[in-house]
Amino acid sequence: MTNESSTFRRRQEMLEEITARRRVSVSELKEKFAVSIVTVGKDLAYLESEGHIIKSFGFAEARNTDLFRNRNLIKNYENKKKIAKYAMNFIEDGISVFFYMSSTVLTMVRMLQDKKNLNVLTNSVEVAHDISMNLGARTILLGGYYSPDYIASYGDIAVNQFNQFNIDKTFFTV
């Protein structure tokens, strides 16, 4: 077995352990996988960069976002993908767009590579991140109460901020 495949397998097993227990200490992972603290740190940094966990001092915690990160876990993914492709027809270069957090909207956002000069307003941390990393659009993230389950803001503060902007198109699901 190559070193690369053993690293991949160990990381997958770490992720399963963290997901099952919700929170695991670095020292427990070091003991269980018989690796150094440095190796555990690198593995956790990788898992965090992939969006699977949250790494904190001495611990790793499962994120509730696998629903949005892993298309295999999104219910009716193929239908949402069709909806997202259709919705793309309504986004022209240079417009202002609001994306409300949902798995369908996130699927759509991940298809936006060819759009230019967009101004994006969103309540979703994941949408803001994906837009900034993949599209480089000007992105404004609304504040407000925070929902860790959806990684998004909501409530009166977010609505009041939203009302300060002129938006050409809004995308949300019901």
Side-chain angles (χ1 to χ4, degrees), residues 30-167:
K30 175 189 176 292
E31 294 300 317
K32 178 169 182 152
F33 294 98
V35 293
S36 70
I37 290 286
V38 172
T39 299
V40 170
K42 287 178 183 178
D43 289 346
L44 294 179
Y46 173 81
L47 292 172
E48 184 176 49
S49 74
E50 291 292 305
H52 298 297
I53 67 162
I54 299 168
K55 189 177 138 192
S56 60
F57 187 75
F59 291 92
E61 296 179 72
R63 288 184 69 192
N64 293 329
T65 60
D66 286 339
L67 170 67
F68 301 118
R69 286 263 176 227
N70 185 346
R71 71 180 184 186
N72 296 323
L73 296 177
I74 296 175
K75 291 180 183 178
N76 302 311
Y77 176 74
E78 289 304 317
N79 289 334
K80 291 178 182 190
K81 192 170 155 186
K82 288 176 189 173
I83 293 167
K85 282 183 182 180
Y86 179 75
M88 294 293 293
N89 295 317
F90 298 98
I91 299 180
E92 303 91 29
D93 291 344
I95 67 170
S96 295
V97 184
F98 175 70
F99 294 113
Y100 188 80
M101 182 60 233
S102 75
S103 56
T104 304
V105 169
L106 193 56
T107 301
M108 180 181 147
V109 162
R110 292 177 176 163
M111 297 178 180
L112 285 174
Q113 294 89 354
D114 298 332
K115 303 301 177 182
K116 296 186 180 17
N117 298 318
L118 292 181
N119 294 302
V120 174
L121 181 65
T122 185
N123 68 321
S124 166
V125 174
E126 289 207 65
V127 166
H129 177 77
D130 284 4
I131 289 283
S132 297
M133 294 298 292
N134 299 324
L135 196 59
R138 289 171 298 281
T139 306
I140 298 171
L141 181 61
L142 295 175
Y145 297 106
Y146 179 71
S147 169
D149 289 334
Y150 294 99
I151 309 178
S153 61
Y154 67 96
D156 293 344
I157 296 169
V159 170
N160 289 335
Q161 286 179 329
F162 175 83
N163 288 332
Q164 295 176 26
F165 295 94
N166 292 317
I167 302 296

Side-chain angles (χ1 to χ4, degrees), residues 1 4-25 28-35 40 43-44 46-47 52-53 60 62:
M1 181 183 312
E4 190 174 300
S5 64
S6 65
T7 299
F8 177 79
R9 191 175 82 237
R10 182 182 63 247
R11 287 175 176 171
Q12 288 301 107
E13 290 175 13
M14 274 188 189
L15 180 57
E16 289 171 12
E17 180 79 9
I18 296 163
T19 302
R21 294 179 49 200
R22 305 300 300 157
R23 185 173 188 199
V24 181
S25 74
E28 288 175 292
L29 294 170
K30 175 189 176 292
E31 294 300 317
K32 178 169 182 152
F33 294 98
V35 293
V40 170
D43 289 346
L44 294 179
Y46 173 81
L47 292 172
H52 298 297
I53 67 162

